[in-house]
Amino acid sequence: MTDPAPLAGELRLAVHRLTRRLRAERPLDGLTLTQLSALATIWREGPLTAGDLATREGVKPPSITRVLTSLEAEGMITRSADPSDGRQVLVSATRLGAARIEADIRARDAWLAQQIEMLNARDRALLHRASEVLDRLAGQ
C-alpha cells in the first residue's frame, strides 16, 4: 500500500466507532462526559489547579470552574490550598471520585474483554500488535 489515505480514513472511523461504543458502556450516574473526563484527569494527574486542569482538558477557565463546582457538589473532588502558593487552590479526587473512575474503567474493560474473548487467537494477536502501533501513533 503506497497511499496511506484510505487506511487513515478506515482507521479514523474504526477508532471513532469503538470510542462511541465504549462511551455507551459507562455507568449511568448522571455525570456528563465533560465531568467524567475532568474527574479522570484529576484522578490520574492530580492534585491540579483549575488552570492546569483547563489546559489539560482544552477548555476555558470559566468552563472548568462550572465542571469543578458540579463535581464538588457530587462529592467527587475536594479543593485545598496549594502548599507552595497560598493564592492557588488545588483540586483532588475524593475516595468517591476515585471509586467512580475505577468503576468506569472496570465497566469499559469488562465489555471490551468480552468482545475480545469472542475473537480467535489470530485476531487477538493481531489486536495486540495493533494496540502497540496505535499507542505509538498516539504518542507522536
Side-chain angles (χ1 to χ4, degrees), residues 16 18-27 33 108:
H16 177 73
L18 181 58
T19 300
R20 188 175 348 141
R21 187 63 176 93
L22 284 168
R23 282 183 183 151
E25 293 303 318
R26 67 188 190 90
L33 290 174
R108 293 178 195 211

Side-chain angles (χ1 to χ4, degrees), residues 38-116:
L39 181 57
T41 299
I42 295 165
W43 174 75
R44 189 176 50 253
E45 300 179 28
L48 297 167
T49 65
D52 288 340
L53 181 60
T55 299
R56 283 176 173 79
E57 292 295 301
V59 298
K60 296 192 184 306
S63 297
I64 210 65
T65 298
R66 286 189 296 275
V67 169
L68 291 174
T69 298
S70 63
L71 288 173
E72 187 175 35
E74 293 289 328
M76 302 286 174
I77 64 158
T78 59
R79 300 177 198 238
S80 60
D82 183 339
S84 64
D85 182 353
R87 298 168 297 167
Q88 294 285 340
V89 173
L90 297 175
V91 292
S92 303
T94 63
R95 276 196 270 223
L96 179 64
R100 172 59 184 85
I101 290 300
E102 291 162 2
D104 186 77
I105 290 168
R106 280 191 308 275
R108 293 178 195 211
D109 284 357
W111 176 84
L112 193 52
Q114 185 179 32
Q115 303 311 303
I116 292 169

